[in-house]
Amino acid sequence: MIYLKTAEEIEMMRKACDLVSRTLGEVAKWVRPGVTTARLDSIAREYIQDNGGTPACLGYHGFPGTLCIEVNETVVHGFPSERVLEEGDIVGADCVAELNGYNGDSCYTFAVGEVSPEIMSLLKCTKESLYKGIEMAKAGKRIGDISNAVQTYCERRNYSVVREMCGHGIGRSMHEDPEVPNYGRRGIGPVLRDGMCIAIEPMINLGSKNIVIERDGWQTRTKDRKASAHFEHTICIKGDEPEILTTFNYIKESLGDRFI
Ligand code: MF3
Ligand code: CO
C-alpha cells in the first residue's frame, strides 16, 4: 500500500529530512583518521535528541546504532564500534531521524583523509547515480525508470549494483511501499504519483555485486571484500520536478574543499 502524502504531511517530512541532513552535517565535522565509528554514532544520536527527534535505527529490530556504519567493504547495516578510522578508508553513515511522527532517511559515504583515485571515482559515480535516479522521479514515470537510470549509469562505468538491498517508500514508517531497486527495466513497477515520498539509495560495488550477510543477521559486506559506496536522499514526487527533501549542503559546509 503506497501512501500519498498531503501538503501538511510533506511539510512534516521536510522537517524530519532537514534534521537528518543537519545530523550528517555534524557527523561530517568529525570524520578524520583516528576517530572511532562509535564516536560518530554518539555525535549523531546526541544531535537528533537535542533537536527533539528520535534516532529511528536505534533499537529497530534490535539494531545497535543511530547510524549504520559502512567502512570500506561494508555495504549496509554495519555496527558502530571502537574501530578507528584510518587514512584511505571510506565510511558510509546511513541515518534515519524521526521527528513528530515522520521519518527522514539519508546516507553519505565519506573519504577518510586521502583515498585512492580508484575509490574516489567509485564515490563520485555512486553519488551521481543517485541524482540520475532522482532525475527520473517524475509523476507518471515508474519505479523501474529510476532503477534503470541508476543501474545504467553505474554499469557503464564498470561498477556493480547490489541486488539484495533496495530503496523504499518512507513516511510515518521508515520503510513503506514501494521498493525502489537500483537495477531493473524501464517502464516497469508502480507509477510515480504526486505526494509519493521515497528514499533512493544506490549501493554500488567496485568489484562483484555479490554480498555476504554476517551471522549477526545485519552487517553486510561485499563477497570479494572490495569497496562499496552508498548515498541516499529522501525525495517527494511533484510533477516534473521532484523535491529532494534531504540535502548534502550541511555536509558540504562542514567539509569545505574536501567535499566531492
Ligand atoms: N537507511 C537504512 C535504510 O534505508 C536504514 C536501515 S536502519 C536499520 O533502510 F535500523 F535497519 F538499521
Ligand atoms: Co533508506
Side-chain angles (χ1 to χ4, degrees):
M1 159 91 194
I2 298 176
Y3 297 99
L4 302 181
K5 273 74 179 176
T6 63
E8 290 74 23
E9 288 182 293
I10 293 166
E11 185 52 28
M12 304 291 268
M13 289 295 291
R14 277 189 199 105
K15 290 187 173 133
C17 288
D18 188 59
L19 176 56
V20 81
S21 303
R22 284 187 285 124
T23 302
L24 291 180
E26 287 304 305
V27 169
K29 293 177 186 168
W30 294 83
V31 175
R32 69 186 74 144
V35 78
T36 67
T37 61
R39 182 91 184 102
L40 300 181
D41 191 67
S42 47
I43 302 289
R45 180 174 40 77
E46 282 164 24
Y47 192 84
I48 292 170
Q49 290 171 341
D50 288 349
N51 287 281
T54 307
C57 291
L58 188 60
Y60 179 83
H61 296 287
F63 189 79
T66 291
L67 299 178
C68 297
I69 292 285
E70 305 158 354
V71 182
N72 300 337
E73 71 273 21
T74 302
V75 178
V76 287
H77 302 160
F79 299 164
S81 74
E82 292 308 315
R83 177 174 182 161
V84 177
L85 294 175
E86 292 173 19
E87 179 98 21
D89 285 341
I90 55 172
V91 60
D94 187 355
C95 188
V96 185
E98 188 189 320
L99 186 66
N100 299 320
Y102 289 83
N103 290 275
D105 188 356
S106 184
C107 177
Y108 196 90
T109 305
F110 298 95
V112 181
E114 285 283 308
V115 304
S116 69
E118 186 186 40
I119 298 290
M120 194 52 89
S121 302
L122 170 70
L123 295 180
K124 283 187 181 150
C125 175
T126 307
K127 193 202 239 184
E128 280 162 17
S129 76
L130 167 59
Y131 291 103
K132 293 290 169 194
I134 293 172
E135 268 176 34
M136 301 307 287
K138 302 176 180 181
K141 292 211 173 271
R142 289 175 184 264
I143 291 291
D145 297 317
I146 298 174
S147 306
N148 186 264
V150 172
Q151 178 180 22
T152 309
Y153 191 80
C154 295
E155 288 184 349
R156 279 211 182 114
R157 287 157 183 79
N158 288 320
Y159 300 114
S160 63
V161 177
V162 172
R163 299 297 201 265
E164 292 83 347
M165 315 282 173
C166 292
H168 48 91
I170 180 165
R172 285 195 158 276
S173 299
M174 165 189 337
H175 295 140
E176 296 184 356
D177 288 339
E179 282 197 342
V180 185
N182 296 303
Y183 68 98
R185 296 195 343 258
R186 273 193 295 250
I188 63 164
V191 176
L192 304 175
R193 298 191 193 286
D194 285 345
M196 271 176 71
C197 292
I198 56 175
I200 305 178
E201 49 179 318
M203 288 150 265
I204 306 299
N205 296 349
L206 191 57
S208 93
K209 65 181 185 309
N210 299 321
I211 60 166
V212 173
I213 302 178
E214 304 292 354
R215 292 172 67 164
D216 54 41
W218 282 107
Q219 306 194 84
T220 301
R221 63 166 172 85
T222 56
K223 187 153 189 267
D224 59 15
R225 296 190 188 271
K226 292 187 180 169
S228 183
H230 184 195
F231 290 84
E232 177 172 19
H233 273 315
T234 299
I235 70 163
C236 183
I237 307 300
K238 218 178 179 185
D240 270 353
E241 202 62 56
E243 181 174 343
I244 308 179
L245 300 172
T246 48
T247 173
F248 296 146
N249 286 343
Y250 302 107
I251 293 173
K252 188 174 179 191
E253 275 173 35
S254 299
L255 295 184
D257 58 11
R258 291 181 297 140
F259 184 79
I260 56 153

